[in-house]
Amino acid sequence: NASLLGILQHPDGTVLKQLQPPPRGPREQEFYNKVYDSDCCDRILLELREYLPKYFGVWSPPTAPNDTYLKLEDVTRKFNKPCIMDVKIGQKSYDPYASAEKIQQQVSKYPLMEEIGFLVLGMRVYHVSSDSYETQNQHYGRSLTKETVKDGISKFFHSGYCLRKDVVAASIQKVEKILEWFEGQTQLNFYASSLLFVYEGSCQATTVRLSDVTLAEKRRVPKGLLSGGDVLEYNNNIHVINSTENGKIEASVGKGLSKFYALHKKSCSKRHHSQLSLKVENSEQDNVWKSSTCITQEHLNGNVLPQLEKVFYHMPAEPKESAKVEVRMIDFAHVFPSNTKDEGYIYGLKNLITVLQNILDN
């Protein structure tokens, strides 16, 4: 399940990342040691921890004491079907001390880095419809141009049924927080560093059998409300999985994963793009609304509602939560002390936010 080569998953909930050869490996280790120093009282570094995987020091296997691994939080661990994307950020993917050869090699890998400010290194997306993952490697990201980068990234947010606008919206909020941090610090510059995006691809299924429920064909429900006063938009990610031959419907309702990052104390702002994806399959197609369309809450009070009531008359109460999304900074082999803002990284973040916003708006 590990997203990247060279990452080993440990049963204790951490991942082991082998230290790269010098100077890169020791530089990354030094970066983590500095940020996670127990005596650290620098406000900038303490806030930075919020955007990194937790760090648990280094580890060496007893059989090979000279092999060193960084022991890091496994950000994907709490997800059932984690969808993962690794995006390199910045206008330069080579550091200030790179040789001419290294610069040439890095630029030729992706000449658009300067203009676009980021590069998709890979992604792994769970498709609900086929119960399988689609994977893209770094060649996929390097094939993206200014014209195709929006569609290229939107692939990551597509479940096979529909675009997960809830995840896009939550991702924008998280990237904006990281941008705020960069706008407020002038002590570190990051090169060839990445953002790791993770979201829940499955409907965390609570299966609700609606067989014994009289579907509300004639009964009126107040606009936007279900019985018991639950607002329909509160139930994000409802998938009607199937209907049995005798017309029973199984609905699988998205269940929120518990917050798992201790430092994330700040409550997320309310999500504006609640989303419902419906797929109803029935041999008696006349009985059930057959659809595999996405509905945002803006449309819920329109004509769609009476049809929805037929399918979702009784729903369990769901807390209103934003999509379960993690965005963390990773890969710090090229982090250097500085006395200026990291303009290249900031440029990349702003451009990435613009692309995500365009995906959301269309």
Side-chain angles (χ1 to χ4, degrees), residues 11 16 47 87 92 167 178 183 223 231-232 236 283 341:
L16 298 170
E47 193 194 330
V87 184
K92 296 179 168 71
V167 176
I178 293 171
E183 292 283 17
K223 264 196 175 180
V231 179
L232 185 56
N236 70 320
S283 48
K341 276 194 197 179

Side-chain angles (χ1 to χ4, degrees), residues 147-164:
E147 290 69 42
T148 61
V149 70
K150 172 176 164 259
D151 289 341
I153 282 195
S154 71
K155 196 188 253 294
F156 174 63
F157 299 101
H158 212 284
S159 72
Y161 286 138
C162 63
L163 183 69
R164 291 287 305 275

Side-chain angles (χ1 to χ4, degrees), residues 162-182:
C162 63
L163 183 69
R164 291 287 305 275
K165 286 199 168 190
D166 56 330
V167 176
V168 182
S171 298
I172 291 170
Q173 286 184 357
K174 303 240 172 193
V175 178
E176 281 174 341
K177 292 289 293 172
I178 293 171
L179 174 59
E180 263 177 56
W181 181 84
F182 270 90

Side-chain angles (χ1 to χ4, degrees), residues 88-134:
K88 188 189 281 192
I89 307 288
Q91 289 178 285
K92 296 179 168 71
S93 55
Y94 53 88
D95 68 47
Y97 303 95
S99 64
E101 293 78 19
K102 180 69 176 174
I103 292 172
Q104 180 51 46
Q105 178 216 7
Q106 285 298 318
V107 170
S108 64
K109 271 188 183 175
Y110 193 58
L112 293 169
M113 198 75 186
E114 191 87 30
E115 189 185 2
I116 294 177
F118 61 83
L119 166 64
V120 177
L121 292 179
M123 65 172 74
R124 187 164 174 268
V125 188
Y126 177 71
H127 285 175
V128 182
S129 42
S130 58
D131 185 28
S132 63
Y133 280 97
E134 182 187 348

Side-chain angles (χ1 to χ4, degrees), residues 59-99:
W59 177 86
S60 296
T63 50
N66 294 330
D67 289 355
T68 306
Y69 292 81
L70 298 170
K71 206 162 155 57
L72 301 166
E73 171 190 6
D74 180 359
V75 181
T76 70
R77 180 180 170 87
K78 297 290 164 83
F79 293 86
N80 181 21
K81 300 285 184 188
C83 298
I84 303 164
M85 177 170 66
D86 183 342
V87 184
K88 188 189 281 192
I89 307 288
Q91 289 178 285
K92 296 179 168 71
S93 55
Y94 53 88
D95 68 47
Y97 303 95
S99 64

Side-chain angles (χ1 to χ4, degrees), residues 33 141 172 192 219 234 243 248 287 292 304 322:
N33 284 339
I172 291 170
R219 299 166 65 181
Y234 285 16
S243 306
K248 287 181 180 174
N287 299 357
S292 57
V304 170
S322 54

